[in-house]
Amino acid sequence: MTSIAQLPRHADVLVVGAGPGGAATAAHAARAGHQVVLLDSAVFPRDKTCGDGLTPRAVAEMSLLGLDAYLADRPKIVGLQMHGWGATQHIRWPSGRFPAHGSAVARTELDDRIRIAALDRGASMVEGVKAVGVDVSDNTVRSVQVAADDGTASIRVGQLIVADGVRSPLGRMLGREWHRDTAYGVAARAYASSGRADDSWMGSDLELRDAHGTLLPGYGWVFPLGAASGRINIGVGALATGKRPAHMALRPTLEHYARAQTADWQLSGPPVEIASALLPMGGAVSGVAGGNWMLVGDSAACVNPLNGEGIDYALETGRFAAARLQDGDHSHAWPALLAEHYGTAFSAARRLAGLLTVPKAVPLLGRPGIRSTTLMSMVVRVMGNLISEEDDDLIARAWHTAGVASQRFDHRRPFH
Ligand SMILES: Cc1cc2nc3c(=O)[nH]c(=O)nc-3n(C[C@H](O)[C@H](O)[C@H](O)COP(=O)(O)OP(=O)(O)OC[C@H]3O[C@@H](n4cnc5c(N)ncnc54)[C@H](O)[C@@H]3O)c2cc1C
């Protein structure tokens, strides 16, 4: 915990939030020679409600942070074991531009490790101190007010990175608005001891039912955390829109789902540490930048609308933000950059996710879909955010075309 007397009075780059988005920004910016202060209201290591799954794209970003060795003795996840409507498909992550494996690491550990990578590269850390206010003129943040247990202070800033997560209190002070007319998620996770903690497949259930057998508009997951941990991360999620809010009772659904997985995943106890959270998705926010500030990660709603994964986007947007620190006014350039990288895919994915909030759509698409290996391979590629702008194969082109078409009908495009 940092005391008020120890606080710096000025930061060339102040990064608020030391999750993957903020810590990655701090690491890349410090490596590029900026004087960086990374500030978080929590004291690390801290937990973050999450499925703990790392897609191959997240593994690639970890590598850019010099963390290959750290991931070397973590689970190597080769693909998704997908279940539903009496069928199971094992779909490997596609080979290509990204590593052929993903991983899963509890966020208590992962976030602390990325944060330390930022400190190793020269960033300094302020813990247990909350950003509570901003002093803005001409769309430029001059200083950030902070509060610690022993008082309040003000830090003058050259540039500000807002990486304060899903609710983004600081982003909101700067005018960030979350629009719930497109799909967003609600999800809960827990941990359980498992005889299959060393499995190399992630479990994904497209058919989720409650204790009465009623089909729910959601999905379930089981992510093995490795032999050393002896645990799996288990969770359930639901998609919703402002018009069709999710009425799923997350905790009982998760407990029922865990009971249903007990034999298959050799669970030896009930789910513990149950926690839930909202997930803004698909760039459904406006007000993501100003003259000298940018929002990254969850605060910019950079979460895949089809499965709620956001760690890779947080790491990536942190890298992009660090790279444009020296480029001057971010007001238009930052939303344009985010839209260029994610706009078409987010538009198509959130439209599809919105369709999945219609109760009859899930079995209609899911029942035949799960039986088609080709279709499921496409789904895994889209869900894993594994189609890059450079890809030029048939699926990538179809997905891109769908995104361009979808954006034409968007009442509000991603990040606008
Ligand atoms: C149930 C659930 C399951 C998920 N499963 C997965 C998954 O398996 N894989 C995946 O890739 N993604 C998953 N996600 C999404 C993923 O957790 C997020 O996308 C990711 O954490 C985003 O990182 P971030 O750095 O933007 O924000 P965060 O990790 O939320 O970090 C924000 C930080 O800001 C700090 N902070 C907030 N306010 C202030 C303030 N005022 N002052 C100072 N500090 C502040 C917080 O303490 C926190 O440390 C899941 C999400 C949920 C809810």
Side-chain angles (χ1 to χ4, degrees):
M1 172 116 34
T2 315
S3 74
I4 285 294
Q6 295 167 316
L7 280 182
R9 295 292 175 237
H10 173 266
D12 284 352
V13 180
L14 178 68
V15 181
V16 173
T25 315
H28 290 295
R31 165 63 53 97
H34 295 278
Q35 181 246 335
V36 183
V37 176
L38 178 59
L39 175 142
D40 203 292
S41 51
V43 174
F44 283 70
R46 62 100 179 88
D47 188 20
K48 153 76 179 82
T49 304
C50 189
D52 302 333
L54 296 175
T55 61
R57 197 156 174 156
V59 171
E61 286 298 318
M62 291 288 284
S63 177
L64 294 177
L65 290 165
L67 294 171
D68 300 279
Y70 172 72
L71 280 189
D73 21 322
R74 309 279 150 181
K76 277 205 165 30
I77 307 286
V78 298
L80 288 187
Q81 174 190 310
M82 303 176 93
H83 298 285
W85 295 279
T88 299
Q89 293 264 7
H90 285 81
I91 308 288
R92 284 186 181 271
W93 298 116
S95 53
R97 274 179 34 82
F98 299 106
H101 68 275
S103 190
V105 183
R107 293 291 298 275
T108 337
E109 287 178 49
L110 182 85
D111 290 20
D112 202 36
R113 186 62 194 88
I114 304 173
R115 180 188 77 92
I116 288 167
L119 305 194
D120 289 346
R121 289 178 169 199
S124 54
M125 177 88 204
V126 173
E127 291 181 80
V129 176
K130 191 174 184 174
V132 291
V134 272
D135 169 20
V136 188
S137 60
D138 298 331
N139 203 18
T140 299
V141 175
R142 310 292 169 184
S143 63
V144 173
Q145 281 83 56
V146 297
D149 277 356
D150 60 343
T152 58
S154 184
I155 302 175
R156 283 179 289 107
V157 300
Q159 309 225 34
L160 172 68
I161 299 296
V162 180
D164 55 353
V166 63
R167 294 188 183 275
S168 192
L170 190 58
R172 287 211 305 268
M173 287 176 220
L174 289 163
R176 177 246 205 207
E177 255 189 279
W178 174 19
H179 308 286
R180 299 189 190 204
D181 44 345
T182 52
Y184 63 90
V186 289
R189 72 98 225 259
Y191 293 98
S193 300
S194 164
R196 282 179 60 194
D198 60 347
D199 213 277
S200 45
W201 293 87
M202 282 175 164
S204 178
D205 279 83
L206 308 183
E207 181 187 5
L208 184 68
R209 293 190 181 268
D210 67 13
H212 309 291
T214 310
L215 184 67
L216 300 168
Y219 52 90
W221 72 78
V222 181
F223 295 167
L225 293 168
S229 146
R231 304 213 293 179
I232 48 99
N233 180 312
I234 185 162
V236 294
L239 292 165
T241 61
K243 252 196 214 157
R244 282 185 292 277
H247 294 300
M248 194 163 104
L250 288 170
R251 193 183 177 102
T253 305
L254 172 49
E255 285 168 340
H256 174 69
Y257 179 64
R259 280 194 296 276
Q261 300 302 317
T262 299
D264 190 14
W265 283 92
Q266 300 165 23
L267 305 186
S268 55
V272 294
E273 297 170 48
I274 298 180
S276 61
L278 279 171
L279 288 126
M281 294 169 154
V285 290
S286 51
V288 294
N292 67 340
W293 53 272
M294 294 177 264
L295 267 59
V296 303
D298 275 11
S299 64
C302 287
V303 173
N304 190 324
L306 291 172
N307 63 353
E309 54 99 12
I311 298 172
D312 63 342
Y313 296 96
L315 296 171
E316 254 180 29
T317 51
R319 177 164 58 84
F320 297 153
R324 67 154 290 114
L325 280 170
Q326 69 273 20
D327 289 342
D329 194 333
H330 308 307
S331 314
H332 301 292
W334 183 239
L337 185 148
L338 293 176
E340 186 193 325
H341 281 280
Y342 307 123
T344 53
F346 274 175
S347 176
R350 70 193 197 181
R351 202 168 286 278
L352 189 55
L355 183 67
L356 295 175
T357 62
V358 178
K360 285 200 175 118
V362 176
L364 200 71
L365 298 173
R367 198 187 299 274
I370 188 93
R371 289 178 165 78
S372 160
T373 309
T374 312
L375 195 65
M376 283 301 112
S377 303
M378 278 172 63
V379 167
V380 165
R381 208 166 147 204
V382 168
M383 277 183 17
N385 183 22
L386 297 173
I387 297 178
S388 71
E389 303 93 66
E390 292 82 9
D391 287 345
D392 196 29
D393 58 283
L394 200 61
I395 293 171
R397 275 185 278 142
W399 184 237
H400 181 71
T401 306
V404 171
S406 170
Q407 276 201 329
R408 286 211 193 99
F409 293 100
D410 274 348
H411 156 66
R412 184 192 296 278
R413 282 181 296 128
F415 310 108
H416 287 86

